Amino acid sequence: MSTEPTIANYISTGDRLPQVRPIWLLLHISILVSMDVIPETTDELTDFILNDILYGLELDPVDSERLLSYMRERHEHLFGPHSTYFVLGSYEAPFKYRLDEALDVLNRRHDAYAYLLATQPDLEVSDDIPDLKVKFFLHALYADSIPLILEHDTGGAVAEFGRVERPTLLERTYLFPRSQEEHYDDDSLLTTHGAILARAVELAYHADGLSEELDTLAERARDRGLEISTQDLESYLESELGGRTPSYSGVITDSLVHLESLNQCFSWTTTEELEEQLSNVP
């Protein structure tokens, strides 16, 4: 049994990290760490940082010390007794609102700590080290669950989606794509103001001719005694989607199939439905 101190030992005790082996020596380590296991020892963390995150770059002793210092400062949140939820998604308005809702829902749980990457302290390392990338993986590696709120296929959320498709992260990732499935396409459901608005969101994702479909939806609403105009629907979509015409590329939908097969993908349309679907995060 190995007696080498683990990363948690160094973080909790404040001991100095041994000097990192240079890359040429790391290449002689018989078993290299891959992303299907979480690195536990100093050698494993170094190997992971160099070979998986910083491929082609060298982590010098100064940056190694800064890295361990950073993890020591985050120890209470990364290794504490509570459950941690690393919430991912778009920081742009109005999508950031849904991230805040997810944080609120998850933080209501007993002994829970849900957080965004942006609110965590910055990692101070050399300019030639991609600190945000390292910061992302350090928080993702030690989070109990990784909920990802997806509303479109551009921006940082998509990059994060690509990063969590590694085995040890994917098994703890729960994806929440907006309107991936249509739940309000049955006319019998369109009897309330909320259902009409929800259907408008689904049409924004799925309709080929959105303007015409919104006209038809507004007429259907008026037939049911609901005072909703096409302009009302367009204004609502502007507030919900920020003027985007949302969609998911074939690459994204292919990855959704994978997570659906793992029972880790949950479609939603309204914020209330998102809050309910978050109950699927353990």
Side-chain angles (χ1 to χ4, degrees):
M1 179 180 297
S2 173
T3 60
E4 181 184 2
T6 65
I7 293 298
N9 294 146
Y10 281 106
I11 293 174
S12 60
T13 63
D15 291 342
R16 183 179 178 82
L17 174 68
Q19 183 168 334
V20 177
R21 298 185 177 112
I23 292 179
W24 64 267
L25 185 54
L26 281 171
L27 293 177
H28 290 279
I29 296 177
S30 59
I31 300 177
L32 297 179
V33 173
S34 64
M35 275 300 297
D36 60 353
V37 294
I38 297 176
E40 290 290 342
T41 68
T42 54
D43 275 346
E44 287 178 351
L45 178 63
T46 300
D47 206 23
F48 165 69
I49 295 294
L50 289 174
N51 290 284
D52 284 81
I53 300 181
L54 301 178
Y55 176 77
L57 300 178
E58 184 169 355
L59 190 66
D60 64 29
V62 174
D63 283 330
S64 299
E65 198 66 42
R66 290 173 178 172
L67 177 62
L68 262 293
S69 176
Y70 179 81
M71 291 189 68
R72 189 179 301 125
E73 293 170 359
R74 308 304 299 141
H75 177 256
E76 177 183 351
H77 299 295
L78 298 178
F79 297 98
H82 39 261
S83 298
T84 53
Y85 304 94
F86 184 25
V87 179
L88 307 178
S90 176
Y91 285 21
E92 298 177 41
F95 310 106
K96 173 66 162 50
Y97 170 73
R98 262 74 75 179
L99 298 190
D100 293 335
E101 286 294 313
L103 291 177
D104 183 60
V105 170
L106 294 170
N107 277 321
R108 291 178 203 158
R109 298 182 177 185
H110 179 67
D111 285 338
Y113 176 62
Y115 58 90
L116 303 178
L117 186 67
T119 61
Q120 307 311 301
D122 291 333
L123 172 61
E124 301 294 339
V125 288
S126 303
D127 291 341
D128 57 347
I129 302 296
D131 58 301
L132 186 60
K133 184 178 182 181
V134 176
K135 177 181 174 181
F136 174 90
F137 278 108
L138 288 179
H139 283 85
L141 277 170
Y142 297 106
D144 294 309
S145 297
I146 307 172
L148 196 165
I149 316 300
L150 192 64
E151 298 194 53
H152 51 79
D153 63 358
T154 60
V158 176
E160 291 174 337
F161 188 19
R163 286 176 174 176
V164 296
E165 284 199 293
R166 299 166 181 242
T168 194
L169 302 184
L170 192 65
E171 66 182 7
R172 291 176 285 120
T173 296
Y174 298 85
L175 187 63
F176 299 89
R178 189 171 196 179
S179 293
Q180 178 202 6
E181 301 173 356
E182 295 182 82
H183 299 292
Y184 295 88
D185 52 346
D186 184 343
D187 281 355
S188 66
L189 300 177
L190 303 179
T191 58
T192 66
H193 190 274
I196 294 292
L197 295 179
R199 181 56 183 161
V201 172
E202 290 183 345
L203 289 172
Y205 281 84
H206 295 280
D208 292 329
L210 181 58
S211 296
E212 293 79 6
E213 292 286 353
L214 291 180
D215 286 338
T216 301
L217 181 60
E219 290 178 9
R220 189 173 295 122
R222 289 192 292 272
D223 290 341
R224 287 165 168 74
L226 302 172
E227 294 299 322
I228 302 176
S229 66
T230 301
Q231 184 176 3
D232 293 333
L233 296 177
E234 291 172 343
S235 296
Y236 178 72
L237 292 181
E238 176 68 29
S239 67
E240 283 290 296
L241 304 174
R244 286 179 181 265
T245 301
S247 63
Y248 300 120
S249 68
V251 173
I252 294 295
T253 54
D254 189 62
S255 293
L256 297 183
V257 170
H258 186 184
L259 281 163
E260 283 178 330
S261 300
L262 297 174
N263 295 319
Q264 293 171 223
C265 183
F266 309 95
S267 180
W268 60 281
T269 299
T270 68
T271 302
E272 292 76 16
E273 290 170 357
L274 172 61
E275 294 176 355
E276 292 173 3
Q277 291 285 42
L278 285 167
S279 65
N280 290 290
V281 179

